[in-house]
Amino acid sequence: MSKLSGFVRSGALAAVFLGALLAQPSALRADSISVGGKTIRFDAPKGYVQADKQIYSEVTSRITNALPEGMTLHAFYVEESVDRKFREGTTEYLDEYLMVAGLGQVTRRNLSLAEFREFSDYLQNNQGGLFSEDVAAQARKAVEDATDGEIQLGNITSLGCFGITDTSISYLAIMRQEILAANGARLPLDQAVIMNTLLVDGKMLHVNQYRSITEADQAIRFKDRSAEIVGSMNFK
């Protein structure tokens, strides 16, 4: 059985948005990253550990097939208890993780506050169209191709934007997936996805969080934790 999910970006926001949303992350060093010629430093998120590249080698290989052109995965973290179970072999699915990414065509430029505000306004004004059927169809194909059909994407429910400041905007959605189990059955799984877009020293970064849920209220509680987790990373 495999592990899959996420990411987000916008420009022709929709197509790249979901293609990236469903990509798999790689395990890279994350205390500092080079973004468009600038060095961005940050801490490990509170309650997460950096994913070991060797242990998460399958995850690393999946991303190669699923990432949209120009997307760079800078860092990948797994929630502490999930990482422990994964290492012990008591779980094959990553129930909670976080990734940091950037889209080359955007990160090559230094963005002003006004330009970031334009992006933020676009995201807020077009929330309903981010997951159009065309975009969802592209996403379903990308996921199935990247996982050899082991994971199928179902409905995507938008819960809208939140956490809006001059240098950040977040977006919450719930994705329904079906995962092929070892016995051949398909197991339903709902996943809360929080897509945080930040402006750090003129560079746009995406910090995206994923958590398996069994009820909608868990997505809201995950949302309430989001600001604390991202804030603990101290981007600078």
Side-chain angles (χ1 to χ4, degrees), residues 78-126:
V78 181
E79 192 274 335
E80 290 174 339
S81 64
V82 175
D83 178 70
R84 184 171 58 253
K85 292 174 184 176
F86 191 86
R87 290 170 179 270
E88 294 169 350
T90 56
T91 184
E92 295 186 43
Y93 190 81
L94 302 185
D95 283 318
E96 186 172 338
Y97 56 94
L98 175 153
M99 55 197 290
V100 180
L103 189 65
Q105 65 193 58
V106 176
T107 56
R108 282 192 289 270
R109 298 183 57 236
N110 285 333
L111 298 181
S112 66
L113 286 172
E115 288 172 315
F116 186 82
R117 188 179 306 114
E118 184 178 349
F119 165 85
S120 179
D121 289 345
Y122 178 88
L123 191 60
Q124 294 173 67
N125 293 333
N126 292 274

Side-chain angles (χ1 to χ4, degrees), residues 2 8 26 100 105 121 130 176 217:
S2 317
V8 66
S26 60
V100 180
Q105 65 193 58
D121 289 345
L130 294 179
R176 166 59 60 96
D217 284 352

Side-chain angles (χ1 to χ4, degrees), residues 1 93 95 150-154 175-181 185-191 212-214:
M1 189 162 64
Y93 190 81
D95 283 318
E150 292 180 7
I151 298 180
Q152 294 180 347
L153 178 67
M175 296 193 304
R176 166 59 60 96
Q177 303 173 46
E178 288 190 350
I179 301 174
L180 184 64
R186 288 205 168 270
L187 305 178
L189 173 72
D190 284 340
Q191 186 177 55
S212 301
I213 62 172
T214 55

Side-chain angles (χ1 to χ4, degrees), residues 147-206:
T147 63
D148 297 323
E150 292 180 7
I151 298 180
Q152 294 180 347
L153 178 67
N155 293 331
I156 302 171
T157 303
S158 169
L159 297 181
C161 297
F162 67 98
I164 301 164
T165 72
D166 288 342
T167 57
S168 66
I169 183 170
S170 300
Y171 184 87
L172 174 63
I174 297 176
M175 296 193 304
R176 166 59 60 96
Q177 303 173 46
E178 288 190 350
I179 301 174
L180 184 64
N183 63 5
R186 288 205 168 270
L187 305 178
L189 173 72
D190 284 340
Q191 186 177 55
V193 182
I194 297 176
M195 296 158 279
N196 308 283
T197 304
L198 312 178
L199 184 66
V200 182
D201 196 15
K203 300 300 182 181
M204 185 182 288
L205 286 179
H206 307 285

